[in-house]
Amino acid sequence: MRRHGIKGIVILLCVMLIIMSAACNKEQTPQTVTSNQVEDTKLPATRLLTDMAGREVEVPSEIKKVYCTSPVGTIITYTVSPDLLIGLNYKASNSEKEYLDQSFTKLPVLGGWFGKGNEGNLEEIAKAKPDIILNAGAITNDTIEFSDNLQNQLGIPVVFVGVELTTMDESYNFLGDLLGKKERTDKLADYIIQTLADAKNKVANIKDEDKIRVYYAEAAKGLQTDPAGSSHTQILDLLGGINVADVNVTNGYGRVEVSVEQLVAWNPDLIIAGFDNGYAEDGAAYDYMQADPVMKNLRAIKNGNIYEVPSAPFSWFDRPPSANMIIGIKWTAQILYPDLFHYDLREEAKAFYKLFYFCDLTEEQLDELLERGKR
């Protein structure tokens, strides 16, 4: 009986050990996760944000596809992350194909709302299924209303991004948070802050009598312009140049027609000749003005103070007024006040194009960029 009793106890202990071992294994084995549980571990599908125009917009938590209503937004988004963009506002120019990534320049043209007579293709934009639409530029009642209307038409979140020269670092900070690219946008914002601070500090003490009187010549003959206070002359305003154009500010595309007689009466000390490279039909005024029998006698031209804006892949002065203006601050400052600013523009251009456009400039490209825009 004793042996049978002992044997029974041993069997009972073995059974208990097996049960306890199974229980331990059950606790240690990963549980099967249901689809609902998986969803619970993800980020929320959307989030509510306030855009730079003060509008509340519900956007996807993760944004992978962006369409921009104009080149202003397209360019600034490209500098953050080209792969986010799903379409162009216009067919890429040859210079854009030279300086920008092919994956960008080969994107389909979806149009946009910029310039005269340009509109986005609502049907094609809807087919492209962007996660958000960026509307970028100066904050006005019209741009806010446009953003609301477009969002209602397409049923796609439209986020407004204020893009103005003196606050562009804030634009990048906003985009970093919106697009999940904060590390990238911090670098771009720091560059802008340093560039603006240097320019402001150096022009702060220029006496009024020493400020340069400037005419911004636009279109093929140089007989269109924008006055002080325009989004297209922000660099000149920042640097304290005296804009001689006594005309009214025109919002949006700008460009006020002027006569040769008006230009002769203004007789500027210096002329900045714009060049529309790719997205507009007009060419450079630089050659035309120097050959014109009347305009060639302007003080600026007689003294050799006419400079063509470097403009590949985009103008350094404006058109469009976007991130491309940042390098334009240094170029314009050196044109206006060469005794005050001593940039090595070749090195500055190399650094800017590498950081903002992901582009390593060649010496030949630098020659072409600066050929008619240097003292």
Side-chain angles (χ1 to χ4, degrees):
M1 290 291 296
R2 183 179 298 175
R3 281 184 297 178
H4 288 299
I6 293 172
K7 185 178 181 180
I9 292 170
V10 170
I11 292 171
L12 179 61
L13 287 172
C14 289
V15 170
M16 291 177 65
L17 285 171
I18 292 170
I19 293 171
M20 291 173 65
S21 177
C24 289
N25 287 339
K26 185 176 181 181
E27 288 177 3
Q28 293 172 2
T29 301
Q31 300 297 300
T32 302
V33 182
T34 66
S35 60
N36 287 337
Q37 288 173 314
V38 171
E39 291 299 322
D40 290 342
T41 64
K42 288 183 178 180
L43 290 171
T46 62
R47 60 190 172 110
L48 193 66
L49 62 78
T50 301
D51 70 12
M52 294 185 75
R55 301 165 56 252
E56 282 198 342
V57 187
E58 188 174 3
V59 302
S61 294
E62 188 175 6
I63 295 169
K64 296 181 178 179
K65 298 167 66 178
V66 177
Y67 163 75
C68 301
T69 62
S70 76
V72 174
T74 300
I75 293 171
I76 199 169
T77 303
Y78 180 94
T79 65
V80 175
S81 183
D83 60 323
L84 289 174
L85 291 161
I86 60 167
L88 303 178
N89 303 120
Y90 57 87
K91 186 178 179 180
S93 68
N94 289 334
S95 70
E96 288 167 30
K97 292 175 183 177
E98 179 181 350
Y99 290 88
L100 305 178
D101 193 86
Q102 286 187 3
S103 62
F104 168 76
T105 59
K106 289 183 178 179
L107 287 172
V109 176
L110 305 180
W113 291 265
F114 63 99
K116 298 178 180 178
N118 291 298
E119 287 193 1
N121 187 323
L122 294 179
E123 183 178 352
E124 293 302 316
I125 294 167
K127 283 182 183 178
K129 297 181 180 179
D131 295 321
I132 62 166
I133 294 173
L134 284 183
N135 184 23
I139 301 172
T140 66
N141 290 333
D142 288 343
T143 55
I144 293 171
E145 182 180 0
F146 172 82
S147 299
D148 290 338
N149 290 340
L150 186 61
Q151 181 168 289
N152 292 335
Q153 282 180 288
L154 290 173
I156 299 170
V158 176
V159 180
F160 188 87
V161 183
V163 179
E164 299 187 54
L165 186 64
T166 57
T167 56
M168 204 174 296
D169 58 304
E170 297 174 17
S171 305
Y172 275 108
N173 289 332
F174 176 81
L175 286 171
D177 291 332
L178 173 67
L179 303 174
K181 303 288 184 181
K182 199 72 175 65
E183 185 177 353
R184 167 72 179 160
T185 57
D186 282 350
K187 294 177 182 178
L188 302 176
D190 286 347
Y191 180 99
I192 292 167
I193 289 168
Q194 293 173 21
T195 300
L196 288 171
D198 183 56
K200 289 177 180 178
N201 289 339
K202 287 180 178 176
V203 301
N205 297 318
I206 298 176
K207 297 177 181 178
D208 288 343
E209 59 267 28
D210 294 328
K211 291 181 178 179
I212 306 297
R213 299 174 64 257
V214 183
Y215 175 72
Y216 178 33
E218 301 179 83
K221 297 181 179 180
L223 293 176
Q224 292 180 4
T225 194
D226 285 285
S230 166
S231 63
H232 301 287
T233 56
Q234 293 178 74
I235 294 177
L236 196 55
D237 292 344
L238 170 73
L239 296 173
I242 298 173
N243 191 328
V244 300
D246 184 15
V247 296
N248 293 326
V249 174
T250 303
N251 292 327
Y253 188 65
R255 287 195 169 183
V256 179
E257 297 277 353
V258 300
S259 66
V260 174
E261 290 74 21
Q262 284 177 299
L263 184 50
V264 169
W266 295 331
N267 202 17
D269 301 316
L270 184 145
I271 295 172
I272 293 174
F275 186 88
D276 289 331
N277 196 15
Y279 77 96
E281 71 283 359
D282 297 314
Y286 182 85
D287 291 324
Y288 183 90
M289 296 181 77
Q290 293 183 84
D292 182 87
V294 177
M295 287 190 282
K296 70 179 183 181
N297 292 312
L298 291 169
R299 179 187 298 117
I301 295 177
K302 287 175 69 175
N303 293 336
N305 288 329
I306 178 170
Y307 305 93
E308 184 175 271
V309 179
S311 43
F314 310 108
S315 167
W316 288 15
F317 194 78
D318 91 308
R319 306 244 173 245
S322 190
N324 43 297
M325 293 189 295
I326 300 302
I327 183 63
I329 293 173
K330 296 182 178 184
W331 176 80
T332 309
Q334 194 138 305
I335 293 299
L336 297 183
Y337 304 111
D339 294 333
L340 195 58
F341 291 89
H342 305 285
Y343 297 120
D344 181 337
L345 287 174
R346 295 179 76 88
E347 292 303 316
E348 295 292 345
K350 283 182 183 179
F352 177 85
Y353 276 57
K354 179 70 172 178
L355 179 59
F356 282 77
Y357 295 149
F358 314 94
C359 173
D360 292 308
L361 288 175
T362 66
E363 294 302 314
E364 291 76 19
Q365 287 171 328
L366 283 164
D367 290 340
E368 184 178 350
L369 280 168
L370 298 170
E371 179 184 3
R372 305 205 292 187
K374 60 185 177 182
R375 275 191 176 269

